[in-house]
Amino acid sequence: MKVPAQQQDETDATRAPEQDSATGADTGRAAELAELLGHMTTCWDEERRLLARRLHDSLGSSMTALTMHLALLSQHLPEAQRDRATQMKTLLNNIIETNRKMQLTLWNDKLEFLGPKAAIAELVSEWGLAHNIKARASLPDEDPDYSRPQGVALLRAAEEGLRNVLAHAQASEVDVILDDDGDQAMLTVRDNGVGPSGASATSMHCHGLRLLRERARQLGGTLTIRPGPEGGTALTLVLPRTA
């Protein structure tokens, strides 16, 4: 049955405000969720920082003290028992090293006390040694003054980029580059691997990359993943310095 033109126009006119209202509600909901995610990310970062500090101040200090006491005690042990003391010292040193790695995974203290430049340099160096991949860090001569959220975002971008290189890129070389022209900071993780077309898991559907993208948005920046200029994949985070 054909609907009269006048009736159709009236129906369309009725639906238009409803559609606009629904669109406005969706936009408002998306903004609320983005704000909530930003708040949760900030709280998560602070909890990680505090937990890392507690591990350092409590467990780390206690293990170091035990090592010192054991060294003093072993001086008074019979020769036959010193081997056991040496084994205990080795065990304590392993616990101390494990604790240090846990602290670093949770929160890099260099980020807070020395800035992102030192934290990224340490990350790239240790990552390359741990995975036997040639990893280079190209950083500014000066140490730019970033806010804590900006510094955390830059470090997390380097971490996530290296994580994806290890998981998907099949690369033998990685470059982590931090550029700063005073107006914006740009961090790039670039590899010589198979490229994004051969590593579909590096898409923005990965949770780590999606969280990193939301960090960038909260700071007025962008996150992109595209083929590198000479092959491989390039992950780039751009943050305005005024954020």
Side-chain angles (χ1 to χ4, degrees), residues 161 164-165 169 175 184 186-204 209 222-238:
N164 278 280
V165 168
D175 289 286
Q184 64 180 20
M186 182 171 69
L187 185 131
T188 301
V189 181
R190 187 174 63 205
D191 64 67
N192 67 343
V194 298
S197 61
S200 59
T202 57
S203 71
M204 284 298 181
L209 292 173
T222 60
L223 177 72
T224 59
I225 297 180
R226 56 172 57 97
E230 300 177 0
T233 303
L235 177 149
T236 302
L237 173 70
V238 178

Side-chain angles (χ1 to χ4, degrees), residues 20-233:
D20 290 343
S21 177
T23 301
D26 290 342
T27 302
R29 180 62 174 167
E32 289 178 359
L33 289 174
E35 183 181 2
L36 177 61
L37 180 59
H39 174 70
M40 291 177 64
T41 302
T42 300
C43 293
W44 183 34
D45 288 337
E46 184 63 14
E47 288 176 357
R48 292 177 64 168
R49 186 183 72 84
L50 292 175
L51 180 55
R53 174 53 54 185
R54 288 170 185 163
L55 286 172
H56 176 274
D57 293 345
S58 179
L59 183 58
S61 298
S62 297
M63 291 297 101
T64 301
L66 281 173
T67 302
M68 296 174 63
H69 288 309
L70 180 61
L72 291 173
L73 181 62
S74 63
Q75 296 176 5
H76 303 284
L77 290 175
E79 189 69 28
Q81 296 180 353
R82 290 187 180 179
D83 287 344
R84 180 61 60 86
T86 300
Q87 294 174 6
M88 293 174 64
K89 182 179 179 181
T90 300
L91 178 60
L92 284 172
N93 287 336
N94 289 339
I95 295 173
I96 290 172
E97 179 62 17
T98 300
N99 183 52
R100 188 191 72 83
K101 290 179 179 178
M102 289 171 59
Q103 293 174 41
L104 193 60
T105 300
L106 288 168
W107 186 265
N108 192 325
D109 270 351
K110 283 186 172 60
L111 179 64
E112 193 160 7
F113 298 110
L114 299 177
K117 179 180 173 181
I120 292 171
E122 179 183 58
L123 169 69
V124 173
S125 175
E126 294 196 354
W127 184 89
L129 291 173
H131 303 292
N132 196 29
I133 296 176
K134 188 175 183 179
R136 297 175 292 259
S138 177
L139 305 169
D141 293 332
E142 302 295 329
D143 202 349
D145 184 21
Y146 299 112
S147 66
R148 179 185 285 179
Q150 288 174 332
V152 172
L154 291 169
L155 182 59
R156 295 288 180 252
E159 291 173 342
E160 189 62 31
L162 292 174
R163 203 160 23 239
N164 278 280
V165 168
L166 186 63
H168 309 295
Q170 303 174 31
S172 60
E173 296 184 10
V174 182
D175 289 286
V176 178
I177 305 162
L178 177 60
D179 291 316
D180 193 307
D181 62 5
D183 294 324
Q184 64 180 20
M186 182 171 69
L187 185 131
T188 301
V189 181
R190 187 174 63 205
D191 64 67
N192 67 343
V194 298
S197 61
S200 59
T202 57
S203 71
M204 284 298 181
H205 296 294
C206 293
H207 293 304
L209 292 173
R210 292 175 68 183
L211 285 172
L212 186 58
R213 180 184 59 188
E214 290 304 320
R215 280 185 187 272
R217 284 181 177 176
Q218 288 290 322
L219 296 171
T222 60
L223 177 72
T224 59
I225 297 180
R226 56 172 57 97
E230 300 177 0
T233 303

